[in-house]
Amino acid sequence: MTAYPAPRLTLSPLARLLAAALLPLALAACNGGGDDDDDTPASPIVVAPPAVDPAPETDPTTDPEVPAHNTAYLNAKPGDVIQVSIDALHPTQAAIGYDQIYYKLGRWQGDFNRSWAGDSARQLDYLDRTVGKKFDDYCEDMGGVERAAKFADLAAAQAARLDQPATFACKDAPGTHAENLKTVVVGWDGNLYLTDGHHTFSSLREIFDGGPKLPVWVKVDANYSDLPTAAAFWQRMVDERRAWLRDGQNQPITVDQLPSRLGLASAGEAGGMQEDRYRSLVYFTRDIAYQNGDLPEFAEFLWGDWLRRQVAAGQLPGLEQYKMVAPALPAQILAVSTLSSTLAPGGANDSYAAAVRDASLKMGALADTDIVFDDRQAQTLGRIPLSANVLAGISIKSQRDALEELPRVDVKADGSPRNAGKLWFAVNYRNCGKPAAGTCWGW
């Protein structure tokens, strides 16, 4: 699949002034949704990209600083399914949760030299749970459900690569299940602006067999290419809560400060996305304090903003009170924290899991109608009512188990492989890089 990169948006001096004046005033309306949810179109249309890169349309009477329009997607309609490359997608938020990305990068890269005491069946099981998970996730996010089959043998696992489609197969063709696809808006300049999936596509961009040219499938949510200016486009995006104009510290930004590409910030490549540690924290409270289903855009950022306000009000310890990164040792960061059936905290009180536990207790104590951000109520953001469950005598075992599993290692007591916890992968990847033999990963 040939990639079709589009020119980067640059604003004219007038547009810059309008954007700077209008957008910060509208930030209170800038809510949004989860990284994994979209609406399902009644009859999606698969739109094939052009055979060659489209020639830009230009008008010599316009401001010379206004970019040429990308003509490839001007006729795309809401519900259309488009195959593009990752570098054709423009961010509508400045930051991502790095630890969510690290979890994916750690989980997706098994160590092919890990012998499992010479047991080839266990080795293949381990690779299916790690490397295989990468292909399951890719197939699901591209609308193909999951892998068509597990790895037949070690050679098949070693040969499979995302950038070589012939080496693996999805159960259904990509784009088939449009309800699983991430969403884009066609901008005033004809480019594609991502409104859901920044973490998904950043992970795929960072993985060794992915990258900016990896083919992906997205669903068109709206087409605003008829808007006359960049300022008008971004004002509409803000009004409709399709952009999150806050940086990694949750401070307001203008559209000029949005990153030019998806993926982690890097000294070797300009334009990456910032780290928002509270966005990572909220991700790990999933299935403990909130459920990730049918959420509005940027919902996790709204929770992160609320948690920051709890810290500022002295109702919750700040992240600096917990051992979450070096110089703390991985064993300290990954110390288990627990909740009893009556929500009494146990285990470590200063580990990463403890930060997740404490944030979850605050989130779960909200009433359904309590406001989290602007007009967004807790119930619309997926909140799990932990205190209400206890008072009603309803079991919260699944939430307690989800908390305890976060730092879980990837091997059972009998030496067989299992799915490790999300924190275990994230912390080890941040500390070590991809899984490999040696003391850093623990084998």
Side-chain angles (χ1 to χ4, degrees), residues 47-131:
V47 179
V52 296
D53 291 345
E57 288 184 349
T58 58
D59 182 349
T61 66
T62 60
D63 188 323
E65 289 192 18
V66 175
H69 279 57
N70 181 356
T71 62
Y73 314 111
L74 294 181
N75 295 322
K77 301 179 295 299
D80 283 358
V81 174
I82 303 176
Q83 180 186 347
V84 297
S85 57
I86 291 177
D87 61 359
L89 303 173
H90 295 253
T92 56
Q93 65 191 52
I96 50 179
Y98 276 26
D99 285 337
Q100 180 175 343
I101 305 298
Y102 293 152
Y103 155 63
K104 289 290 188 180
L105 296 178
R107 178 73 184 270
W108 287 352
Q109 299 182 83
D111 180 5
F112 286 95
N113 295 318
R114 192 173 178 184
S115 66
W116 293 92
D119 188 328
S120 59
R122 285 184 174 181
Q123 182 186 31
L124 193 59
D125 182 16
Y126 157 72
L127 293 173
D128 262 316
R129 293 172 183 272
T130 52
V131 179

Side-chain angles (χ1 to χ4, degrees), residues 31-371:
N31 292 359
D35 199 45
D36 305 304
D37 304 294
D38 353 277
D39 296 325
T40 306
S43 301
I45 304 170
V46 178
V47 179
V52 296
D53 291 345
E57 288 184 349
T58 58
D59 182 349
T61 66
T62 60
D63 188 323
E65 289 192 18
V66 175
H69 279 57
N70 181 356
T71 62
Y73 314 111
L74 294 181
N75 295 322
K77 301 179 295 299
D80 283 358
V81 174
I82 303 176
Q83 180 186 347
V84 297
S85 57
I86 291 177
D87 61 359
L89 303 173
H90 295 253
T92 56
Q93 65 191 52
I96 50 179
Y98 276 26
D99 285 337
Q100 180 175 343
I101 305 298
Y102 293 152
Y103 155 63
K104 289 290 188 180
L105 296 178
R107 178 73 184 270
W108 287 352
Q109 299 182 83
D111 180 5
F112 286 95
N113 295 318
R114 192 173 178 184
S115 66
W116 293 92
D119 188 328
S120 59
R122 285 184 174 181
Q123 182 186 31
L124 193 59
D125 182 16
Y126 157 72
L127 293 173
D128 262 316
R129 293 172 183 272
T130 52
V131 179
K133 173 69 170 171
K134 173 176 62 178
F135 296 98
D136 285 332
D137 287 350
Y138 178 80
C139 289
E140 179 181 0
D141 290 329
M142 300 308 120
V145 183
E146 59 187 4
R147 282 181 295 165
K150 292 184 176 182
F151 297 131
D153 49 36
L154 179 60
Q158 291 173 321
R161 291 181 58 99
L162 290 173
D163 56 3
Q164 296 179 13
T167 63
F168 72 98
C170 298
K171 185 175 180 180
D172 292 333
T176 300
H177 301 274
E179 66 274 13
N180 291 339
L181 298 177
K182 310 308 178 186
T183 51
V184 296
V185 167
V186 182
W188 78 288
D189 54 0
N191 291 325
L192 300 179
Y193 292 85
L194 190 65
T195 58
D196 177 38
H198 292 80
H199 287 79
T200 293
F201 294 126
S202 290
S203 299
L204 291 170
R205 194 184 193 279
E206 296 293 332
I207 196 71
F208 72 94
D209 55 342
K213 300 301 182 183
L214 185 72
V216 294
W217 283 255
V218 294
K219 182 176 64 177
V220 177
D221 200 39
N223 189 331
Y224 297 150
S225 60
D226 59 339
L227 293 175
T229 65
F233 167 68
W234 284 110
Q235 187 62 58
R236 184 161 185 177
M237 292 287 283
V238 168
D239 290 344
E240 296 182 351
R241 298 172 173 176
R242 298 179 189 268
W244 179 251
L245 297 181
R246 303 280 183 98
D247 64 14
Q249 302 300 317
N250 202 42
Q251 297 302 305
I253 62 171
T254 64
V255 296
D256 285 340
Q257 295 171 290
L258 286 170
S260 60
R261 64 169 178 85
L262 297 168
L264 306 178
S266 168
E269 182 182 9
M273 305 185 75
Q274 299 175 29
E275 178 175 15
D276 185 332
R277 295 185 64 198
Y278 277 90
R279 176 60 179 78
S280 292
L281 178 67
V282 172
Y283 173 70
F284 294 117
T285 69
R286 185 178 294 182
D287 299 324
I288 305 170
Y290 82 103
Q291 295 172 325
N292 185 46
D294 298 323
L295 299 184
E297 302 291 357
F298 309 109
E300 289 88 351
F301 285 106
L302 308 189
W303 279 119
D305 176 88
W306 184 84
L307 289 173
R308 283 180 163 100
R309 283 184 274 121
Q310 303 312 299
V311 172
Q315 301 299 310
L316 183 70
L319 297 186
E320 71 279 359
Q321 302 299 313
Y322 301 93
K323 294 181 173 68
M324 301 176 70
V325 294
L329 299 175
Q332 296 173 309
I333 300 171
L334 291 170
V336 177
S337 295
T338 63
L339 283 174
S340 73
S341 60
T342 60
L343 297 184
N349 290 316
D350 60 354
S351 66
Y352 205 140
V356 174
R357 179 195 64 196
D358 296 346
S360 296
L361 285 171
K362 296 295 295 184
M363 295 163 67
L366 291 172
D368 282 348
T369 57
D370 283 343
I371 297 298

